[in-house]
Amino acid sequence: MGSGRTYGRAVVAAVTTILVAITSVPATPTGPAEAVGPAPGRGTYDVTTAQGPSRSYGAGTAQGPSRAYGATTPHSPSRSYPVSVELASLTPAVIRQGGELRISGRVTNTSGRRLGPAHIGVRIGASGAFDTRGALSTVARRTPLTRADGPEVAGRTARLAALPTGAERGFRLTVPVPDLELDDAGAYALTVNVVREGGAGAGTVLGLTRTHLSAYPDATRLEPLRTTVLWPVLDAPRMEALTLRTQDSVLPVFRDDELTAAFGPGGRLRRLVEMGKGQPVTWVLDPDLIVQARAMAAGYRVARTPGDSDPQEATEGEGGEAAADWLAALRAAVRGREVIALPYADPDLASLARGGGAPLAGLLRRASRTGRSVVDRALGVHARTGVGWPAGGELDDGIARYAKELGLDTVLASGAGVASEGELVSEGATDDGAVSLEGGTTALRYDAAIAAQLFASHPAAGAAGEPVRLLLRQRLLAETLTAARELPYARRELVMVPPRRMPLAVARVLLTVVAEGRKAGWLEPAGFTAALRKPTAGRLRGFDGYPLARHASELPPARLAAVVRDRRRMRALAKVLSDARATAASVRAALARSVATAWRADPSGAASYQQGVSRYLTASIASVRLVPKSMVVVAGGSATIPVTVDNGLQQDLTGVELRVLSSRPERLNARDRAMPVRASRAVSRTVRIRVKAYANGPVRLTAQLYTTADGLPWGAPMTFTADVRSVPSGAVIFVLGGTALIVLAAAFRPRRARRR
């Protein structure tokens, strides 16, 4: 099935699009609903609504793909019907061979009047199986009933009694598969409608809903799509830079205790691990989440308010046991499976590419090396690193370059900005697979249409979310089956990427779709390594693959600049600490969390977190200071001046020295050029500077701390007055004599000059 078939399909799609425009006219509308005549034979409506792949490069969700392919909200009707129709179940999910299609759901009278008796029936799209994935979106747009919906299946309806205003009623419908007249393997449009019976309004459509029905007879032999499913176990950062030091340990401080519920029984992160165990998925982990879980298991504190800079006010955390159990469950689930360790804290590559610069690249490279070792040791795996995941999967030259600077040789891309030079379907909907780009970066393109559906769907838990979950399941089955039919005998890749913080309902649907497609035979599980095995040559597309609307959710340049400044301040703080390694590691991790992709969904949380790190550094630096004083009295020619250094840090102070300078060295001068300062944690230390006095009177002295590592000033200088009193006469005579000698020398030099 080569280019000839592809060209033929394009011609058919173009012709049928024109026919749809002519024939897709509602029949005799009567108010808000349509009147439909007797159901004619199916051949009467032999018109397809298929249109070519519809690419939408507009803005999606903050982290969603940009190319939506008609992603729509399942319950957003284009016109108002008096009856709302929701599907609760559709069995089987895939029609195989014979049997019955069983449908259940509920209808609700949303109008302001009583509605008479009606019946519920089903229709199969008149055009048959969809040939292109772009045509699938027409089913979800909830347009009024048209000829393209096909006739009702005769004799297979369910009676519906009169509905009072606001009444809700369940229904069940059973249709033998042969009555559906499904011609071949493929995805079909399925419409469930409510039609008035009897009276003047007989045949009026009162309500409808649409979904997709996938058929795959046992004799079908399509080449299965090698399917890679990513299974992200990620969450927003919770651990602060702040720590609380005790006699025996250093306890991290968390901004809240929400991970306790997420790690516990029934929590999102716990259920994701349990659901993914034993499934053909590739695990995608953030090393920072593993670090946080281990920290919780070892003991931690929770801040009074997020971003609080006082560790003494933090309370004891309650999630240690839940975190330990979660780590054990994750360790068992990933054993023998492919694991990807993202860069530490899953940084926002797009934001960083526009304002991160080299300083943050160095910080993230170092953090990621540490993170990989943490994942390997904690889970007993050899995780794959060097994989970046830009928000929304968009990729342009700047993002690709920055990813390379971070040491990432593989980037997940939605395909909107990446083109393969050997695409089997030119500009087709399914363009997955690895592409080798200039510069040595490999872009693994994932399916944008499937990602759009996964990102846009937010089904509730329990029975309330069943209609949305069902529509999502049927749409994804249709997407994958139609992708397999695009080139039925070609060996191709399909990469499925859900949202970073995947809802449990979406995860459940995704696993169901993979299982059904695998059981039927059009999907074949494959690993991440297999998807990268044979990249084709490619390029970034000529347009800007990064939507303008996505820029609004990026981390602001001012915040990135603040993170760079905080990195410099962290390095300065480390020079004066006795245990600099632990503090520096804590702050570096917090700085990496400050640029996490997760903050795109929570801009206020992003600002709060970064400001919390900055406040911690400000408070730490300000904790080492000179205690102000106004005056000291120096009695005698030799004396010591006390200067108090306050160490408010939670660890010993080293690496600083004290220097005192005199404004009148001929009256008073410091004999000690620099005095090293050492102070235990949370105490003040008095340093005594030896001075020599030569004359009575006030002298201004300036005390300043300096770091011994590089001789740079630390903190603000402290100025005070030394009042010199009772200097011995010998010292006064010595000073006066010295002054006289200076005067004589000044007078003598001009005379000698004149004699010459």
Side-chain angles (χ1 to χ4, degrees):
M1 311 300 290
S3 59
R5 175 166 182 164
T6 303
Y7 176 79
R9 285 181 175 172
V11 172
V12 170
V15 172
T16 53
T17 299
I18 298 172
L19 292 175
V20 167
I22 298 173
T23 61
S24 296
V25 180
T28 319
T30 58
E34 286 76 43
V36 293
R42 194 172 155 193
T44 306
Y45 300 115
D46 191 16
V47 180
T48 179
T49 59
Q51 300 178 18
S54 57
R55 293 175 180 262
S56 171
Y57 296 107
T61 59
Q63 299 178 36
S66 64
R67 188 173 48 172
Y69 290 111
T72 57
T73 303
H75 297 288
S76 55
S78 59
R79 64 175 301 160
S80 175
Y81 284 98
V83 174
S84 167
V85 183
E86 286 188 334
L87 301 182
S89 67
L90 190 152
T91 308
V94 177
I95 300 298
R96 299 296 302 277
Q97 200 76 31
E100 295 177 332
L101 176 65
R102 297 180 296 280
I103 304 172
S104 70
R106 57 183 172 270
V107 296
T108 305
N109 182 358
T110 59
S111 71
R113 66 183 188 279
R114 182 178 183 274
L115 298 175
H119 75 259
I120 301 174
V122 296
R123 302 167 184 262
I124 296 295
S127 62
F130 291 107
D131 286 325
T132 64
R133 296 180 66 185
L136 295 174
S137 62
T138 60
V139 177
R141 288 179 184 146
R142 301 279 305 246
T143 55
L145 194 72
T146 69
R147 296 176 185 275
D149 287 297
E152 264 192 0
V153 176
R156 302 299 176 180
T157 60
R159 297 296 300 273
L160 186 65
L163 281 173
T165 299
E168 179 181 302
R169 195 163 294 157
F171 69 87
R172 294 181 182 276
L173 195 63
T174 301
V175 182
V177 169
D179 289 2
L180 297 173
E181 298 183 17
L182 306 178
D183 300 325
D184 200 356
Y188 296 80
L190 175 68
T191 303
V192 178
N193 58 217
V194 179
V195 179
R196 187 192 301 274
E197 286 190 343
T204 301
V205 176
L206 301 177
L208 61 84
T209 187
R210 293 185 176 89
T211 186
H212 303 81
L213 185 64
S214 295
Y216 201 83
D218 293 337
T220 308
R221 292 292 182 269
L222 300 180
E223 184 69 28
L225 296 170
R226 291 179 295 188
T227 306
T228 301
V229 179
L230 300 190
W231 197 255
V233 182
L234 310 174
D235 204 89
R238 308 288 179 185
M239 195 158 67
E240 304 268 18
L242 195 64
T243 58
L244 176 64
R245 286 181 175 257
T246 66
Q247 292 286 353
D248 305 319
S249 61
V250 178
L251 299 177
V253 177
F254 283 62
R255 60 191 285 104
D256 56 50
D257 211 8
E258 293 186 9
L259 283 177
T260 296
F263 286 149
R268 188 185 71 87
L269 294 174
R270 182 63 174 269
R271 290 290 297 126
L272 282 179
V273 170
E274 293 168 349
M275 293 167 64
K277 184 178 181 180
Q279 298 293 334
V281 298
T282 297
W283 295 79
V284 180
L285 306 178
D286 177 4
D288 181 52
L289 186 59
I290 309 301
V291 168
Q292 293 181 90
R294 296 180 72 189
M296 291 175 64
Y300 68 106
R301 310 283 288 184
V302 179
R304 180 172 56 87
T305 57
D308 193 359
S309 59
D310 187 356
Q312 300 297 334
E313 295 187 359
T315 59
E316 185 176 357
E318 300 177 353
E321 184 177 350
D325 290 345
W326 180 81
L327 278 171
L330 180 61
R331 191 179 302 113
V334 301
R335 186 177 297 120
R337 301 289 180 175
E338 276 192 306
V339 177
I340 295 173
L342 292 174
Y344 194 89
D346 184 22
D348 187 342
L349 298 180
S351 297
L352 290 165
R354 285 152 178 74
L360 291 184
L363 170 76
L364 294 171
R365 282 197 303 269
R366 181 171 182 174
S368 296
R369 286 195 298 268
T370 303
R372 187 252 176 91
S373 64
V374 168
V375 172
D376 288 356
R377 289 197 307 269
L379 303 181
V381 298
H382 186 71
R384 183 189 189 100
T385 57
V387 179
W389 186 0
E394 279 85 7
L395 188 62
D396 58 20
D397 287 320
I399 298 172
R401 283 194 302 270
Y402 199 81
K404 199 67 179 177
E405 191 173 349
L406 293 183
L408 308 176
D409 51 25
T410 302
V411 178
L412 294 171
S414 70
V418 183
S420 169
E421 295 179 1
E423 284 181 341
L424 294 174
V425 181
S426 178
E427 295 296 314
T430 308
D431 48 12
D432 297 12
V435 174
S436 179
L437 301 176
E438 185 179 352
T441 299
T442 298
L444 181 60
R445 298 179 298 177
Y446 60 77
D447 196 276
I450 291 176
Q453 296 300 320
L454 294 174
F455 275 78
S457 182
H458 302 282
E466 185 59 39
V468 178
R469 294 196 296 269
L470 187 147
L471 294 180
L472 177 62
R473 183 193 74 184
Q474 295 304 113
R475 176 66 180 269
L476 295 183
L477 287 170
E479 291 281 357
T480 56
L481 178 54
T482 307
R485 292 182 72 238
E486 285 175 337
L487 292 171
Y489 307 114
R491 192 75 166 151
R492 293 193 298 156
E493 308 288 341
L494 180 70
V495 183
M496 303 173 75
V497 175
R500 278 174 158 83
R501 298 178 67 180
M502 179 166 52
L504 293 177
V506 171
R508 189 177 297 112
V509 171
L510 182 58
L511 291 178
T512 300
V513 169
V514 173
E516 291 286 352
R518 182 183 186 183
K519 179 181 176 181
W522 75 77
L523 296 182
E524 177 185 295
F528 190 83
T529 301
L532 290 173
R533 188 165 295 153
K534 294 180 179 179
T536 60
R539 68 190 188 283
L540 294 175
R541 297 188 190 274
F543 63 90
D544 181 8
Y546 196 74
L548 293 177
R550 190 90 71 215
H551 287 290
S553 65
E554 286 184 1
L555 304 181
R559 189 168 302 146
L560 296 177
V563 175
V564 173
R565 287 195 301 270
D566 285 342
R567 177 177 178 267
R568 289 197 297 266
R569 296 201 300 159
M570 178 271 294
R571 300 176 75 176
L573 177 63
K575 296 173 184 176
V576 305
L577 302 176
S578 60
D579 186 14
R581 178 178 299 180
T583 299
S586 174
V587 176
R588 273 197 299 268
L591 293 175
R593 296 183 196 110
S594 297
V595 295
T597 305
W599 296 126
R600 287 199 171 216
D602 184 13
S604 61
S608 171
Y609 187 87
Q610 186 275 316
Q611 290 164 7
V613 177
S614 186
R615 280 195 298 269
Y616 166 73
L617 288 169
T618 298
S620 297
I621 293 172
S623 294
V624 179
R625 65 187 185 93
L626 297 171
V627 178
K629 64 173 61 185
S630 59
M631 180 176 289
V632 296
V633 176
V634 177
S638 297
T640 58
I641 294 178
V643 178
T644 301
V645 180
D646 186 15
N647 176 23
L649 297 172
Q650 298 183 73
Q651 59 177 286
D652 295 350
L653 175 67
T654 60
V656 292
E657 62 186 21
L658 175 65
R659 303 178 192 176
V660 176
L661 299 177
S662 171
S663 63
R664 299 290 299 274
E666 75 278 4
R667 283 191 174 184
L668 181 72
N669 201 12
R671 297 175 62 183
D672 296 314
R673 176 176 176 80
M675 289 291 292
V677 179
R678 287 180 173 80
S680 300
R681 65 188 184 100
V683 301
S684 296
R685 170 72 184 278
T686 298
V687 180
R688 298 188 178 275
I689 301 294
R690 296 182 302 166
V691 297
K692 181 68 175 176
Y694 303 107
N696 293 325
V699 178
R700 300 287 292 174
L701 298 178
T702 300
Q704 173 73 64
L705 291 173
Y706 290 83
T707 55
T708 55
D710 50 21
L712 295 177
W714 176 275
M718 188 263 292
T719 302
F720 60 98
T721 299
D723 188 8
V724 182
R725 302 177 184 176
S726 304
V727 176
S729 59
V732 174
I733 294 172
F734 176 79
V735 172
L736 292 175
T739 303
L741 289 174
I742 292 173
V743 173
L744 290 174
F748 184 66
R749 289 185 64 183
R751 285 186 180 180
R752 294 189 60 186
R754 285 196 298 268
R755 288 177 183 176
R756 291 176 184 174

